[in-house]
Each structure stands twice: as C-alpha cells, then as structure tokens.
Amino acid sequence: VQLQASGGGTVQAGGSLRLSCAASGRALSAYAMAWLRGGPGKDREFLAIIDRSGQYTYYGDFEKGRFTISRDTGKNTVYLDMNNLKPEDTAIYYCAADPTYVRHPKMSYAYWGQGTQVTVSS
C-alpha cells in the first residue's frame, strides 16, 4: 500500500490544521493507521493510532485532547485534526499503516507515508 500524507503548512500558534493520509494500492480498512512526527534533530514521536474499524483509538503520552485521529473508509483516508497548535508542534508528520493495532506507542509499521511538514509560528 502507498500512503500519501498532506495538509501540512504554516500556521500561527493557537491555530488548527487537518492532516490527511490517502492510500492507494490496497484498502486502508485492512490496516491499523497511525500518525507520528519527527524531523531533523527530533526523535520520532508516536501521536495516535486507530484500529481497522475506526472504533478504537490510542493516543501517545503528550498533551492529549488537542489531536484527534479518525478515518473514512469510503474515502480510504485517515485524518489527524490538530487544534490549539503550539510552536513545539513544528515537525514532519508521518502516517503509517500496519495490520496490528496495539494500545501502546507503536513505532514499527509495515508502511510509511513520506511525511508532511507542519510549522507553527509564535
């Protein structure tokens, strides 16, 4: 499966963005989907994972409540809604897919998207 992340950009602190991850090659419904972030000088950080059905989600150990993961099976797309963005949220955001859904900060995935840059200005 090929993953294409989009929706990044530059936003002022306090703003919002919606990231999208579109799949081709296979239906995303076959995979648990996740968002992680990282970039030059940053360790890769787990953000959230959603199971194949979209019923269950798990969020990483950061300031919860600002980010929401969701999926639209009909559009073969997974989303990350980000609110009240802060300068420290500046990073490259990656979507990833794996057959296995787990309720812990999973860092290893079968497939990765190329990443989309999010920059939050103060």
Side-chain angles (χ1 to χ4, degrees):
V1 62
Q2 291 77 46
L3 303 175
Q4 180 72 41
S6 63
T10 299
V11 62
Q12 287 190 329
S16 300
L17 280 175
R18 167 173 263 203
L19 304 184
S20 300
C21 178
S24 60
R26 191 171 179 185
L28 274 186
S29 57
Y31 301 98
M33 297 297 299
W35 287 95
L36 302 90
R37 67 186 180 187
K42 289 178 176 282
D43 291 334
R44 190 161 290 185
E45 179 182 15
F46 170 88
L47 299 176
I49 188 171
I50 187 167
D51 78 323
R52 289 182 288 178
S53 71
Q55 184 176 1
Y56 299 103
T57 57
Y58 176 84
Y59 292 87
D61 187 19
F62 65 104
E63 188 178 353
K64 300 178 182 179
R66 295 192 297 122
F67 293 2
T68 303
I69 189 171
S70 61
R71 67 192 304 160
D72 186 329
T73 300
K75 294 183 179 180
N76 218 29
T77 301
V78 175
Y79 304 99
L80 184 69
D81 288 298
M82 306 187 294
N83 298 307
N84 191 22
L85 284 162
K86 303 176 180 181
E88 52 263 42
D89 293 320
T90 295
I92 300 172
Y93 284 69
Y94 300 92
C95 60
D98 198 85
T100 305
Y101 169 78
V102 293
R103 290 186 61 80
H104 64 74
K106 181 179 173 67
M107 302 301 291
S108 176
Y109 293 85
Y111 304 98
W112 290 84
Q114 86 292 354
T116 184
Q117 175 72 47
V118 171
T119 302
V120 184
S121 60
S122 57

